[in-house]
Amino acid sequence: MSISDHHVTGQYVTDESEERVYEAGATVVEEVAVRMDRAIPIDDRAGTLNWVNNASVLWERRRLLIRTGIVSLVLALVFAFTMPKQYQSSARIMPPGNSTGSAALLAALAGRPGLGTLGALAGGLLGGGGNAALFIDLLRSGTIAGHLIDRFNLQHIYHKRYRVDTAKYLAHHTVIVDDKKSGVITLTVTDTDPVRARDIAQGYLDELNQLVNHTNTSSAHQERLFIEKRLQGVQADLEKAQQRLGDFSSTHSAIDIKEQGRAMVDAASRLQAQLILEQSGLDSLRQVYGDDNVRVRSARARIADLQAEVTKMSGSSKPLAADDNDAPESAPGSSHDELYPPLRQLPRLAVPYADLYREVRVQETVYELLTQQYELARIQEAKDVPVVSVIDAPGVAEKKSFPPRLLLALSLTIAAVVVTSALLLIQHHWLLVDQRDPRRLLVKRIGGDVEQRVIRWIPRKRGVG
């Protein structure tokens, strides 16, 4: 072998050795890679590759994302600062505890057809529940909402066509919660006007009290209504009885039959005694002066007057007329012209007068008793009426409650960037899908059908226009 051949052979040997070294190194690297590949789970490798791939896609489209963020931030700021401010007014109330009147109120609510679902709730509360749930349902009732809509003209303020939509809008801006432990109810009204928010919250409390008082049907309330009606009837009967007694007394001059009878007997006795005395004096004068003497004639005249007075006071024993109004008032000798009834008519006048007087006294006694019971019933009713106690009255808000402008703008900007990023990733992964993939074919088919329908619909719409 020549030198040149040996040189060539040595070079060949050297190259072959280097190739073996490279192969050995590659083998070692592959083994290390295989071992490392085995050491890392498949899910972690896939997740790492997906995260890196998604990050790379978003980094390539970073300019679009930055522009989207800037535009979204500007639009969000404009939207946040153009939103109207909202104010809240809160009130805390404490419903009355369970009592007899409250139980009757629940029973009445359970049977009222006009209160809708309130009856079912009230019927459930009759089994032993608290009043907080009942009063919350009363605050949310359509009765109170309707009164508030009419009171504050909310249908015009909220720009609603129908009252139902106005009631829903009002309910959406009213939050009513209760504390399960204490039973205190918190009412919060939100409105763009702080004064109107305060007025509506106070309106809720006023309407709640009116509704509770209107539906209160406790035993004291029922008793008070019965006594009130009975008192009105007794008062009318008493006035009629007094009118009849007055007419009878005025017609027959019968003020007090018992006292009048005693006085008239005494007066008749004195007249009779005076008459006897005058007759005795007349006899004496006739024996001394004769019948034509002036003194005798004067004595006779006095005796005649005394006899007329005795006759007038005694009167006649004929029965009284059935209708005293038929007798003419100007007739002489009638009862209308006499200052006192005749003595013989007193027994006849005593019976009707006693009946009329007894009727007046009975009506007066009943009226007094009913008046006392009516006052007691009113006091008891006031005790039984469940009055809502206001712990914190609603006030005018000094600070807006919504919206937080900067936070809202940042949230909308972040949401826009996140949605844009998601759309970019969806687009990237969709482009990687094979053209023969069934999902891609299905989407193309659906898109083609929709496109054909739109193409058919547009000319038809133009023809109709």
Side-chain angles (χ1 to χ4, degrees), residues 366-394:
V366 174
Y367 184 79
E368 291 177 359
L369 294 176
L370 287 178
T371 302
Q372 296 176 0
Q373 293 182 4
Y374 179 71
E375 294 300 329
L376 294 176
R378 290 181 63 182
I379 295 173
Q380 187 64 32
E381 181 186 11
K383 292 180 179 180
D384 289 346
V385 171
V387 180
V388 178
S389 302
V390 179
I391 301 176
D392 295 330

Side-chain angles (χ1 to χ4, degrees), residues 200-247:
I200 293 177
Q202 184 63 42
Y204 268 106
L205 303 183
D206 297 340
E207 295 297 335
L208 177 62
N209 276 324
Q210 292 181 6
L211 181 60
V212 169
N213 293 332
H214 179 69
T215 55
N216 178 37
T217 54
S218 62
S219 57
H221 180 73
Q222 294 290 345
E223 182 179 359
R224 196 264 300 171
L225 291 179
F226 171 76
I227 295 176
E228 185 176 3
K229 293 180 180 179
R230 187 72 183 92
L231 189 61
Q232 294 176 356
V234 170
Q235 185 177 4
D237 295 339
L238 176 60
E239 292 176 355
K240 292 179 180 179
Q242 291 175 344
Q243 183 66 32
R244 289 196 296 270
L245 179 61
D247 294 340

Side-chain angles (χ1 to χ4, degrees), residues 207-450:
E207 295 297 335
L208 177 62
N209 276 324
Q210 292 181 6
L211 181 60
V212 169
N213 293 332
H214 179 69
T215 55
N216 178 37
T217 54
S218 62
S219 57
H221 180 73
Q222 294 290 345
E223 182 179 359
R224 196 264 300 171
L225 291 179
F226 171 76
I227 295 176
E228 185 176 3
K229 293 180 180 179
R230 187 72 183 92
L231 189 61
Q232 294 176 356
V234 170
Q235 185 177 4
D237 295 339
L238 176 60
E239 292 176 355
K240 292 179 180 179
Q242 291 175 344
Q243 183 66 32
R244 289 196 296 270
L245 179 61
D247 294 340
F248 182 84
S249 299
S250 176
T251 302
H252 299 283
S253 301
I255 300 174
D256 188 347
I257 298 298
K258 184 176 181 180
E259 296 296 331
Q260 283 182 321
R262 183 182 295 110
M264 291 185 67
V265 169
D266 293 341
S269 299
R270 287 194 298 270
L271 287 176
Q272 192 70 30
Q274 189 176 1
L275 178 62
I276 294 173
L277 181 62
E278 289 291 337
Q279 287 178 350
S280 300
L282 177 62
D283 293 339
S284 299
L285 290 175
R286 289 177 63 186
Q287 293 177 3
V288 175
Y289 298 104
D291 294 335
D292 296 333
N293 190 274
V294 176
R295 293 183 179 180
V296 173
R297 291 198 299 269
S298 176
R300 287 177 179 175
R302 289 197 298 272
I303 291 174
D305 292 339
L306 290 176
Q307 289 178 348
E309 289 293 332
V310 170
T311 303
K312 181 179 179 181
M313 185 175 295
S314 299
S316 64
S317 60
K318 64 179 180 179
L320 296 174
D323 191 0
D324 296 320
N325 296 328
D326 295 339
E329 296 183 358
S330 61
S334 63
S335 59
H336 298 284
D337 297 334
E338 297 176 356
L339 297 178
Y340 49 87
L343 188 59
R344 293 182 180 180
Q345 295 294 337
L346 287 179
R348 298 182 183 275
L349 296 176
V351 175
Y353 179 84
D355 292 340
L356 293 175
Y357 183 77
R358 182 175 59 252
E359 183 180 0
V360 171
R361 292 298 301 167
V362 168
Q363 297 297 334
E364 287 179 351
T365 304
V366 174
Y367 184 79
E368 291 177 359
L369 294 176
L370 287 178
T371 302
Q372 296 176 0
Q373 293 182 4
Y374 179 71
E375 294 300 329
L376 294 176
R378 290 181 63 182
I379 295 173
Q380 187 64 32
E381 181 186 11
K383 292 180 179 180
D384 289 346
V385 171
V387 180
V388 178
S389 302
V390 179
I391 301 176
D392 295 330
V396 179
E398 300 178 354
K399 187 178 179 181
K400 66 179 179 65
S401 60
F402 188 84
R405 304 187 188 279
L406 295 179
L407 181 60
L408 180 61
L410 293 177
S411 301
L412 293 177
T413 302
I414 294 173
V417 173
V418 170
V419 171
T420 305
S421 301
L423 293 176
L424 291 175
L425 294 177
I426 292 173
Q427 181 184 12
H428 173 73
H429 288 292
W430 179 254
L431 294 176
L432 296 179
V433 177
D434 189 8
Q435 297 291 335
R436 293 171 294 178
D437 190 279
R439 294 173 295 178
R440 199 177 188 92
L441 295 176
L442 178 61
V443 172
K444 287 183 177 180
R445 182 178 177 182
I446 295 174
D449 293 341
V450 172

